[in-house]
Amino acid sequence: MGVNLPPVSSMTGDCMLAKDMYSFRNYLQNTGIIFCYSGYVTDDILVGIGNAIKQKLTIDEEDSKTTRAVFSVFVEQVQNVIRYSAEIETTGDMTELRYGVITVGKKDDRVFITCGNIIKTEDKERLESNLVQIQGMDKKELKKLWKETLRSDPPEGSKGAGVGLIDIARRARKGFTFDFAEVNDVHSFFTLKAYI
């Protein structure tokens, strides 16, 4: 960053909105977040933010292998929101808009991509089981599973080839974590954070 800014406590005036937003901005910066998006996600937003991330990583002189891995994991994470978020608005022409939160940042020499969205709690056990399985695999095992999954029929309820989470695990050279939080009787909030 090229600008040295004071803390919120030194700000003057009654501008609560500005103080809240400045505090939020500082929270993002202190946690290493360089991109943060919360809202309905579309393919256009995916492309726009993806290009901005590439530019930022180029400015930061990240190597091309890291830049490609970050972009690929970002795309997979956003596509998971577009396909599976349970928080949906439907437009007049039946186009679906799905809501999610996406952040990209860098801390302790690791670039991270975090994505969160509402899911149906009935899907939690299957998703958690899949993630625990691939989290315990080494590079060779992930590659084998990736090939097997590509050759097989898509899993029940899948809107893609079912390789998205495996792709994230393969490209997350420094691992990934995930978590669930109960929202209500039928919904949970799912978060996955991948490290490059």
Side-chain angles (χ1 to χ4, degrees):
M1 288 283 182
V3 182
N4 191 12
L5 299 170
V8 176
S9 59
S10 67
M11 296 180 80
T12 59
D14 296 325
C15 48
M16 287 307 295
L17 179 61
K19 284 183 179 177
D20 287 347
M21 288 303 288
Y22 186 64
S23 179
F24 179 59
R25 173 223 176 269
N26 286 348
Y27 166 78
L28 296 177
Q29 190 173 44
N30 291 338
T31 52
I33 293 171
I34 53 178
F35 284 95
C36 175
Y37 178 85
S38 178
Y40 291 97
V41 184
T42 65
D43 288 329
D44 289 340
I45 287 171
L46 187 159
V47 171
I49 297 177
N51 286 334
I53 290 169
K54 280 184 189 173
Q55 289 175 22
K56 174 60 176 159
L57 294 176
T58 299
I59 290 169
D60 290 349
E61 298 181 346
E62 293 290 345
D63 63 79
S64 59
K65 189 175 178 182
T66 297
T67 300
R68 282 196 305 273
V70 170
F71 183 74
S72 296
V73 170
F74 168 78
V75 169
E76 289 295 342
Q77 295 256 49
V78 174
Q79 285 181 339
N80 280 337
V81 172
I82 292 173
R83 291 174 178 159
Y84 302 113
S85 174
E87 202 167 358
I88 310 171
E89 292 281 342
T90 305
T91 64
D93 64 355
M94 302 309 289
T95 301
E96 290 183 344
L97 291 174
R98 296 181 187 249
Y99 196 99
V101 181
I102 302 141
T103 66
V104 178
K106 186 174 182 181
K107 192 145 192 167
D108 301 328
D109 293 326
R110 298 186 298 179
V111 178
F112 59 85
I113 306 100
T114 308
C115 200
N117 59 272
I118 302 278
I119 62 167
K120 292 180 179 174
T121 301
E122 65 188 34
D123 296 328
K124 177 187 164 191
E125 188 175 323
R126 175 184 51 79
L127 181 57
E128 187 171 23
S129 173
N130 288 344
L131 287 168
V132 167
Q133 179 194 5
I134 64 175
Q135 199 173 36
M137 291 181 161
D138 62 24
K139 198 172 177 180
K140 192 174 174 182
E141 291 169 327
L142 285 170
K143 187 175 182 180
K144 182 181 175 190
L145 179 63
W146 183 80
K147 287 182 176 177
E148 288 173 356
T149 306
L150 270 182
R151 285 193 293 261
S152 60
D153 293 330
E156 187 177 333
S158 175
K159 296 177 183 174
V163 297
L165 295 176
I166 303 169
D167 263 340
I168 291 171
R170 291 182 68 199
R171 295 180 185 280
R173 300 192 307 252
K174 298 179 180 175
F176 70 89
T177 59
F178 62 93
D179 204 356
F180 300 90
E182 184 179 314
V183 174
N184 55 34
D185 290 343
V186 293
H187 292 110
S188 297
F189 193 79
F190 166 62
T191 300
L192 192 151
K193 187 172 189 177
Y195 297 95
I196 310 294

